[in-house]
């Protein structure tokens, strides 16, 4: 493999091994195509950040539902009524899956 040009790495801030991908992409795309793609990238990042902030509230809801289900199960034993339900466990699992699917991209972004 040939030696990399140290001047191009100094300009772009790459670590110095291999190909400087930021320069390759910067000079290989036409400028008219690059600006809309960058705008789309910023929109995707904003939507991703919003979903990440929303998923933090879903974590709180998931914890509260799980805590209510556990407390209701033990209170139901003392009162003789069935306060707990499988619907609460299902809600907790659905929220769990939504949080990990939606917040995974946000976590990788951060």
């Amino acid at each position: 493999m040939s030696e990399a040009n140290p001047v191009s790495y100094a300009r772009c801030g790459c670590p110095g091994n291999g190909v400087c991908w930021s320069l390759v992409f910067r000079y290989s795309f036409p400028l008219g195509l690059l600006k809309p793609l960058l705008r789309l990238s910023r929109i995707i990042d904003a939507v991703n950040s919003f979903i990440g902030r929303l998923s933090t509230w879903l974590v709180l809801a998931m914890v509260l539902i799980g805590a209510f289900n556990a407390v209701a199960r033990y209170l139901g034993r003392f009162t003789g009524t069935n306060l707990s339900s499988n619907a609460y466990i299902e809600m907790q699992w659905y929220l769990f899956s939504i949080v990990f699917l939606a917040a995974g991209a946000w976590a990788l972004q951060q």
Side-chain angles (χ1 to χ4, degrees), residues 6-30:
V7 175
S8 66
Y9 287 109
R11 278 191 290 153
C12 73
C14 290
N17 296 331
V19 177
C20 178
W21 289 107
S22 64
L23 288 175
V24 168
F25 286 125
R26 183 179 298 149
Y27 294 116
S28 64
F29 281 94

Side-chain angles (χ1 to χ4, degrees), residues 59-73 84 88-89 91-93 95:
V59 169
L60 178 65
M62 182 178 62
V63 168
L64 291 176
I65 289 169
F68 172 76
N69 195 25
V71 169
R73 189 173 348 135
S84 181
Y88 296 127
I89 296 172
M91 273 196 295
Q92 190 176 1
W93 275 106
L95 287 174

